[in-house]
Amino acid sequence: MNKTLLNAAIAGSFLFSATANAEIFWQDISATYLNGSNYEVGDTDRQVFTFEHAAGYSWGDSFLFVDRLDSDDGFTETYAEISPRFKVYDFAEDSLIKAAYVATTWEVGQGFDNYLVGVGTDLNVTGFDYIQLNAYRRSNEFYESNYQLTAVWGIPFAENFYYDGFLDWSSASEGHAAEMNFTSQLKYNIGPMVGYDNRLYVGVEYAHWNNKFGISGIDERNLNLLVKIHL
């Protein structure tokens, strides 16, 4: 097992242990396949297999994903993020701000680990399944510490369509240009058409990524075909 998968497994085990006695309000497990031909930094043609787990607990919430990237030139890479948020305050049910959190993330790559700590919130906005806003201080393996702002959202519409995604902005620091990654998915649930009881999506993912990996002038505009199954 490579180091990235091992670290992700250790973190997942720790998170499972920490939540074993917590009340679970909801959880979701999914697997995604992406195929695109406009990647920057490395081979342009890649397939990506992603496992995701998200859950809400009595202590807060968590999100974990593991990406396995397979390039057409034979290069492979594994990357994971583990993001527990610890609830510190609940606001009134009808208020714009639903809750406040201590927000954390562990980024696990091949040869690096980055750690993020900050604050987060959930918003009540009509028409959205969820909106999360987080602000972090980043401690990075290969460049100086910096700051990151993250927004995450999900919007159902037209019965079986869904639009979700994230926006990450990180500040410049020594060895790292200011970076913006706006990645979203537009998809249609074909589960009812094929007799699948859960959600089975087909659609596209589009990445609009300026200064990818903090490399000045490396801008990715990348459309991927998508298949995503919720388990």
Side-chain angles (χ1 to χ4, degrees):
M1 180 183 293
N2 66 42
K3 181 187 175 186
T4 305
L5 285 175
L6 179 60
N7 284 345
I10 292 171
S13 298
F14 174 79
L15 190 58
F16 176 79
S17 299
T19 60
N21 296 318
E23 183 179 359
I24 301 174
F25 298 140
W26 59 269
Q27 63 177 327
D28 182 70
I29 299 171
S30 65
T32 303
Y33 169 77
L34 298 172
N35 192 315
S37 298
N38 292 289
Y39 286 88
E40 296 288 344
V41 187
D43 192 12
T44 58
D45 299 314
R46 301 179 196 174
Q47 300 178 80
V48 183
F49 302 88
T50 301
F51 169 83
E52 294 175 292
H53 178 267
Y57 304 96
S58 51
W59 53 262
D61 59 32
S62 69
F63 177 65
L64 176 152
F65 76 84
V66 180
D67 281 344
R68 179 66 175 179
L69 292 80
D70 290 325
S71 300
D72 281 8
D73 64 3
F75 178 75
T76 61
E77 183 179 8
T78 304
Y79 174 77
E81 292 187 11
I82 300 94
S83 301
R85 300 191 309 165
F86 304 93
K87 187 180 293 185
V88 295
Y89 191 79
D90 274 318
F91 293 87
E93 290 186 6
D94 58 350
S95 66
L96 174 62
I97 300 175
K98 296 169 61 177
Y101 300 86
V102 173
T104 68
T105 293
W106 179 16
E107 299 176 345
V108 188
Q110 294 185 191
F112 70 90
D113 297 275
N114 300 325
Y115 303 96
L116 290 69
V117 178
V119 295
T121 189
D122 295 330
L123 300 182
N124 267 319
V125 179
T126 301
F128 285 74
D129 267 352
Y130 60 89
I131 299 181
Q132 297 180 358
L133 302 177
N134 301 299
Y136 302 100
R137 172 71 169 174
R138 298 180 52 97
S139 177
N140 307 298
E141 184 97 23
F142 295 136
Y143 53 91
E144 293 298 317
S145 297
N146 63 338
Y147 296 93
Q148 179 173 311
L149 302 176
T150 296
V152 184
W153 68 88
I155 309 171
F157 67 98
E159 190 173 358
N160 285 316
F161 282 94
Y162 205 81
Y163 178 64
D164 58 0
F166 68 88
L167 173 64
D168 284 340
W169 175 86
S170 60
S171 64
S173 64
E174 185 175 350
H176 181 273
E179 181 181 356
M180 190 277 290
N181 182 359
F182 174 44
T183 295
S184 59
Q185 298 179 352
L186 178 62
K187 50 209 176 188
Y188 182 79
N189 180 18
I190 64 170
M193 298 170 56
V194 299
Y196 184 63
D197 291 337
N198 208 329
R199 290 160 291 162
L200 174 59
Y201 288 113
V202 295
V204 294
E205 177 181 282
Y206 183 70
H208 184 101
W209 196 342
N210 293 340
N211 294 337
K212 183 175 182 178
F213 300 146
I215 305 172
S216 181
I218 301 298
D219 299 331
E220 182 172 290
R221 307 291 183 261
N222 186 18
L223 183 69
N224 282 259
L225 297 177
L226 172 151
V227 179
K228 182 170 188 175
I229 185 168
H230 289 258
L231 306 172

